[in-house]
Amino acid sequence: GPRFPPEIFEHIIDAGVTYDWAGRLGGTLGVEDLHSCALVCWDWYPQACHHLYHHVRLEGTSQTQKFIFTMSTSPVLANLVKGLTLYGLYAKYSEKPDFNWIYKAASALPPFLKNLDVLFLYDLPLLHPTFPIYFSRFVTVKKLIIQWSDEGTSFGEIVQFANRFPQLQFLQMSDCKWRQPVHYFAKKQL
C-alpha cells in the first residue's frame, strides 16, 4: 500500500512536543507517549528518540544506572542528549537521603555526553568537597542552572564551582540562599 514519507511523521511528533525554559520536555506528548511512538515503526523511532533524549532528568540510583548503561552502549542515543537535569528533591526528603547516584552520574556520564549544553542541578547538596571536581568533567556545558534551598553554600563557592566549566556562557541561579550575604563576598574581593 501507499506509504507516507517519514518527514510527515516527524512533523506530527514535533507538533506534540514543547520544551520549557530549561529545555525539559513538555507539550501534549509525554515521555510515555514518546516511548510508544518509538515502538510503532522504524520511521517513527529517530524522531521519538530525538525528543526522548534531548533533555534527560535523573532522580535516583536505579534511573541513573539504567541511563549510564544506555549511554555507554548506544553512542547514537548519547549524541542526542543536549540537556541533563539532576533532581535531588526526592532523595533529600527520603528517610535515608542517598546522593551517591549524583556522583555516579557526574563521574560516568561526561565521556558519553559529548553534546551536553545544559546542566540543571535541582536541590542537590552542591558543595561536598568532591562535587566540583566530578562536575568539571562536563566540559561542553554552556548553560548551568542551579536551583536549591541549601543554606550551607556561600556565593564565592558557587562562583568557584561555575568557573570549573570552561565553555560556560550562561549561569542561572534561583531559590538560592547563601551562608553569608552576597554583599559581604563582593566587598572582600575589592
Side-chain angles (χ1 to χ4, degrees), residues 136-183:
S136 66
R137 297 179 64 210
F138 286 108
V139 295
T140 60
V141 169
K142 294 178 182 76
K143 183 176 184 179
L144 177 61
I145 303 169
I146 301 171
Q147 182 172 350
W148 87 99
S149 55
D150 181 15
E151 292 185 31
T153 306
S154 74
F155 183 73
E157 290 168 323
I158 296 301
V159 170
Q160 289 172 353
F161 176 70
N163 281 332
R164 291 192 171 260
F165 296 90
Q167 301 291 322
L168 191 64
Q169 299 171 3
F170 180 88
L171 172 63
Q172 177 177 330
M173 297 181 291
S174 58
D175 296 333
C176 298
K177 298 176 184 170
W178 311 112
R179 181 175 60 224
Q180 60 191 18
V182 174
H183 63 84

Side-chain angles (χ1 to χ4, degrees), residues 24-96:
R24 296 170 301 205
L25 184 65
T28 56
L29 290 178
V31 171
E32 294 81 16
D33 300 319
L34 288 169
H35 279 288
S36 297
C37 288
L39 296 173
V40 169
C41 68
W42 283 110
D43 287 342
W44 291 32
Y45 182 80
Q47 199 64 12
C49 283
H50 166 76
H51 291 296
L52 278 170
Y53 290 96
H54 180 266
H55 192 111
V56 177
R57 178 175 159 156
L58 301 177
E59 299 177 0
T61 302
S62 173
Q63 193 179 39
T64 301
Q65 289 172 339
K66 289 175 188 174
F67 184 67
I68 290 169
F69 176 78
T70 301
M71 297 299 97
S72 67
T73 57
S74 180
V76 171
L77 294 179
N79 285 333
L80 296 176
V81 179
K82 305 288 187 228
L84 177 64
T85 296
L86 299 178
Y87 191 82
L89 189 63
Y90 298 127
K92 182 178 179 179
Y93 293 111
S94 67
E95 284 185 31
K96 294 182 180 178

